[in-house]
Structures are given as C-alpha cells and as structure tokens.
Amino acid sequence: MIQSPLLNNVKGFVAGHWAGARSGKTLAVINPATGEHLADVPDMAGAETTAAVEAAAEALRSPVAAEKRRHWLTETARLLLDNRQELARIITSEQGKPLKESVVEVEYSAGFFSFFAAQLDHLAPEPLPNRIRQMQWTVHRRPAGVVGLITPWNFPLAMLAKKLAPAMAAGCAVVTKPADLTPLTAIALWNLLEQLDVPAGWLNLVIGRPAPIGEVLCSHPAVRLISFTGSTAVGKHLIQATAPYVKRLALELGGNAPYIVLNDADVNVAADALVANKFRCAGQTCVCANRIYVQRDVEQSFVEAVSERVRRLKVGNGMEPQVDIGPLINRAAFEKVDRHVKDAMERGSRRTAGEFSPIPQGDWGAFYSPTVLAGAHAGMLLSREETFGPVIAIETFDTEEEAVAKANGTPFGLAAYVFMRDGERAERFIQQLQFGHVGLNTGTGPAPEAPFGGMKQSGFGREGGVEGLHEFCEVQTVVTP
C-alpha cells in the first residue's frame, strides 16, 4: 500500500466532504511496474455523481469574485510546486513513467494555474466601441455553469490541470472524474485543495468506472459543459449521449501524429527531437509522433541516427535512477504494441533497434523495449492506428506533395511535426497540414500560454491560452439605452 502525506484521505470529495461509494464497492489501484497493490478507492456511481452535480449547482448560486478565484489559482500553483516531489512519486507509482518525467508534469501543471490566474482580466465586460441603433452594447463572459471534467490515465495531473484551472478561473463549479487506473494523483490534489478557502460544492471529485458517472454527467440538466480528453470512440459516444440535452463539449481526442523529415533538415536535430518526443510516457501520449515520414535522400542517415540514440535508452521501474522508459499502463496496452510490431515485421519492416519484449505477468510488468522499424508502409497497422507505445516506424517519401498527402491521410488532426531548413518551403508546407498543433524543427508539445486542440476527428475546443479560458464561458450581450 502506498503511504503519503498527500493521501490522508483516499476517497471522493462531494459537497465539501470526503465520501466513499454508497455501495461500499472499491477499485484497486496497481503499480504497473511492480504489480504492487497501492490502494483501494471508492467505486462511486450515479447516486454520488448526482449528489456532486447538485452540490455544484447549489454552489453557483453564490458567485465568487474574480480576485478570490485568482487567489485560489495562485495558491494551487504554489501548493503544487511546494509538493512536486511527493506528487511526482504518486504519479510514477500509479502511472509508471520515470520520476523525472513526473516532476516535469507537476511543474507543467502548476503553469496552468499560474497562467489562468493572470488571465482573469479577459473576463471583464467589453463595451462595443460604437453605439449601435443608438444603444450601448456590452459583451459579458459568464461562467458556463456546472462542468464535468473527465481526464485520462497517461497524464493524471497535467490533463486535470488543463481543465480545472480555466474552469476555476471562469467561475465554474466542477465535477471531476479522473481515470480509474490512476485516481490517486487527483485525490492527492484534492487533499491539497482542502487547504484553500473554497466553499462546499465548488470542487467535487468522483472516483469510479466511467459508465455510471458519465451517464449522469451527460444527462443531468445542471451540467452545461463536459470537457473530455481520451479516445475518439468515447468522444463520439459523448456527442451522441449529450445531443438530446444540447450540451457543450470540449473534446481532445485521439491523434496519429505525422513526423516529417525533408531532405534539407538537420538530421541530428530531427533525430534528437524524435526520441525526446516519442518516448515520453513510454510513447503513451496523444501528441507523440506515430507516423514517421522521411524523404528518401536522408532515410539511411536518419534511421542510423535514431537507432543509435534509441539503443542507449534504459527501460525499467520509473522510481529507479537513470530510467528513461517505464512500463506500459497494462497488459492490454502491451498486447496492442506487440501486435503492431509483429504485423509490421510480417509485412516487410525490419527492426534496427529494440529487443524481444517479454510477455507481462498478469496485468502488470508490461515493459516494451523501445523499438525502431525501417521500411514501414501504409498497409501496416501502425500506420493506420495510434500505437500508443515506444515504437518508431519509419516510412519514406519522394516529393513534398506525397508527404502532405501521407500526413493528412488520417481522420485525425491533433499534432504534426516538420523538419526542414528552408523557411519559405516550411511556410508553404505547413499551411497544407490539417493539424491543430504543428512543430517546426521541434518536437515540443503544448504549453499553458498557447491554445491547443485538434482538427477533424481529434476533437474541438481548445485548452491553454485565452481561448482555453473562454471554453468555460458563455457569451452574453447586454443592450442598454
């Protein structure tokens, strides 16, 4: 069992009080690197979620001034940074990523609370400059209302911070549902939030399986917005389930990111950036490169550069020093990655880095050796599906037009990365890409200060930037004589 001063209460939080499941049922949280039983958390369901929604709706009857909300945000950022090492230990224990990555995740998360604390002036009433029809027109941004926040297991703090910080800034009351595989990080955050003077009902946390909790969030009339990060399949379900109630959605869904290296790129820069981008969180990120397209002129040098770097990576328990890659989240994740690699090799790909990966024991210990495959092509599973694991599969192209067509040849449009030296060529190339986030000569992902989100079946809405704050607002225009 995990012991932590940030886990004095291992429950949900409803209407200002720690709460278990009314059924008494619990869910086990397992360390994916060791199989250790970390904790039992409540398996909350519809009744607890309904109570949380009603508490949030009641809290909204007493709005909180902007300066008080700013104080909450600033203090939350401080609490995260003051407790970064312990929070990182909890993240690594339940998610598996290396401890050094977990520390960065905590710092990244704190950045959202600091950023949105500085953005509240963007919510001030905005008088239109000219009198229209001899009237004064003023645009107000009101809180969206009760919002449901549903977060995934790969970044259990960062994905929560991206949603919770702007919701708090906008003056929304929240009902948060973290992933049932990694709920301890959210519980630890709520233990910290108890130190703030937040009135009961504003910040609710429900722990449990997705279906019964999601059903209430989708159908309860008091919930006006759901912000979700996860698979496109679940996103489509949320669209269907909320359609009868005409609810707003903010969806960050699946990715299938292209990583394009043209013949005038700096091969070493592109190789370094790819390894840093691809193997974060063992490749279990929606923005990491999944389809690697390299112009034929530089294929050999690029494959050699990447393979040499990948062979130096250390796989193991994220708590151990010098580990670069932790386990996959569970056996199902391992089996998907293994299936993709076997399919690619059966279809003509060759392995240039990576060793045979042992089958995991039970549902844990799912370590997969970081792998580089050359000779990939569109007929392979890993070209069509998001692998979500530590595998680099390299495919060649000849012309810019071919590269653009390959990159856009997916229903997804979350992130893309392009490497080339020619600035005019880059501008021409990037404007043809159908992706919400594009890195030019960098594998860098989102930042709190910049809007981030997808195109096509990667969702809609933005997190980060002023746009991320406005996602949690309703616009109201007031006209006066």
Side-chain angles (χ1 to χ4, degrees):
M1 300 291 283
I2 189 170
Q3 300 294 322
S4 171
L6 302 185
L7 294 173
N8 289 326
N9 296 288
V10 185
K11 296 182 177 180
F13 195 80
V14 177
H17 302 285
W18 293 99
R22 297 183 186 182
S23 67
K25 294 180 180 178
T26 60
L27 297 170
V29 183
I30 304 298
N31 184 324
T34 65
E36 177 190 0
H37 181 189
L38 297 174
D40 290 312
V41 298
D43 185 9
M44 303 169 86
E48 297 87 347
T49 308
T50 298
V53 171
E54 291 174 352
E58 180 62 28
L60 283 173
R61 294 168 64 89
S62 302
V64 175
E67 286 308 310
K68 174 63 72 174
R69 304 200 305 272
R70 194 191 308 273
H71 170 74
W72 292 348
L73 292 161
T74 302
E75 280 299 290
T76 301
R78 181 188 65 78
L79 289 167
L80 291 178
L81 294 176
D82 287 351
N83 293 275
R84 74 187 79 185
Q85 292 298 330
E86 185 59 19
L87 284 166
R89 187 177 75 88
I90 294 169
I91 293 170
T92 294
S93 295
E94 67 174 351
Q95 201 282 330
K97 67 183 64 177
L99 191 62
K100 58 189 177 185
E101 288 189 20
S102 296
V103 171
V104 171
E105 180 173 345
V106 178
E107 294 169 346
Y108 175 69
S109 302
F112 281 93
F113 290 95
S114 296
F115 173 75
F116 285 110
Q119 304 307 309
L120 269 68
D121 289 347
H122 288 282
L123 301 178
E126 180 186 350
L128 297 185
N130 300 313
R131 288 179 65 84
I132 304 168
R133 300 176 187 168
Q134 290 74 53
M135 301 285 181
Q136 177 63 57
W137 299 62
T138 305
V139 177
H140 297 262
R141 289 181 173 84
R142 312 293 192 191
V146 177
V147 298
L149 311 179
I150 306 175
T151 58
W153 50 261
N154 53 351
F155 291 91
L157 186 59
M159 295 298 104
L160 177 51
K162 293 173 76 169
K163 301 175 188 303
L164 180 59
M168 291 171 66
C172 297
V174 306
V175 178
T176 300
K177 188 239 174 285
D180 52 343
L181 291 173
T182 56
L184 297 179
T185 303
I187 293 172
L189 174 59
W190 252 253
N191 275 271
L192 289 173
L193 293 175
E194 261 205 305
Q195 300 180 35
L196 306 179
D197 54 342
V198 179
W202 281 93
L203 302 175
N204 300 280
L205 179 68
V206 288
I207 311 293
R209 290 164 296 148
I213 294 171
E215 182 179 351
V216 172
L217 296 179
C218 288
S219 63
H220 199 296
V223 178
R224 297 309 313 149
L225 166 68
I226 296 176
S227 178
F228 168 78
T229 297
S231 72
T232 295
V234 175
K236 290 178 179 179
H237 171 75
L238 291 174
I239 293 171
Q240 293 175 335
T242 57
Y245 310 98
V246 197
K247 296 195 180 194
R248 290 176 55 201
L249 295 171
L251 303 176
E252 183 196 319
L253 306 179
N256 193 359
Y259 192 99
I260 307 159
V261 182
L262 283 95
N263 56 10
D264 66 335
D266 185 316
V267 168
N268 287 314
V269 168
D272 285 336
L274 177 58
V275 171
N277 168 282
K278 179 62 185 180
F279 295 113
R280 186 171 71 255
C281 197
Q284 300 173 112
T285 83
C286 53
V287 297
C288 71
N290 194 63
R291 298 170 295 140
I292 319 303
Y293 300 122
V294 180
Q295 200 153 16
R296 197 175 303 276
D297 313 41
V298 293
E299 177 199 12
Q300 183 175 348
S301 59
F302 185 75
V303 170
E304 291 173 354
V306 171
S307 300
E308 187 272 331
R309 288 159 172 78
V310 170
R311 294 187 196 106
R312 296 200 299 260
L313 297 175
K314 181 179 179 181
V315 180
N317 187 333
M319 290 294 187
E320 298 174 1
Q322 310 308 317
V323 163
D324 300 299
I325 299 178
L328 298 174
I329 190 65
N330 55 25
R331 182 167 184 157
F334 175 97
E335 289 176 347
K336 179 181 180 182
V337 174
D338 197 46
R339 184 171 67 253
H340 278 198
V341 171
K342 288 177 178 175
D343 172 81
M345 296 190 71
E346 289 170 359
R347 295 175 185 273
S349 186
R350 66 185 189 279
R351 191 195 308 257
T352 63
E355 301 173 355
F356 173 77
S357 294
I359 298 298
Q361 302 177 30
D363 201 37
W364 59 273
F367 295 96
Y368 202 96
S369 176
T371 298
V372 179
L373 300 172
H377 57 75
M380 297 174 177
L381 283 175
L382 47 67
S383 294
R384 302 194 304 270
E385 301 175 4
E386 191 176 20
T387 300
F388 234 60
V391 178
I392 289 173
I394 299 173
E395 180 176 344
T396 58
F397 66 90
D398 292 302
T399 66
E400 289 184 36
E401 294 75 16
E402 183 185 358
V404 170
K406 286 177 179 287
N408 288 337
T410 173
F412 304 103
L414 192 59
Y417 307 92
V418 180
F419 288 78
M420 65 181 82
R421 286 191 175 97
D422 187 321
E424 291 185 6
R425 186 186 193 191
E427 183 176 357
R428 179 179 69 249
F429 191 94
I430 290 173
Q431 68 181 354
Q432 300 176 77
L433 295 177
Q434 299 164 357
F435 297 86
H437 175 92
V438 179
L440 174 59
N441 295 320
T442 177
T444 299
E449 298 82 1
F452 174 80
M455 299 180 183
K456 301 192 291 188
Q457 291 190 33
S458 287
F460 43 78
R462 291 296 181 263
E463 293 180 325
V466 176
E467 294 84 352
L469 175 60
H470 289 167
E471 286 290 335
F472 290 89
C473 298
E474 291 282 11
V475 175
Q476 182 183 64
T477 302
V478 177
V479 187
T480 57

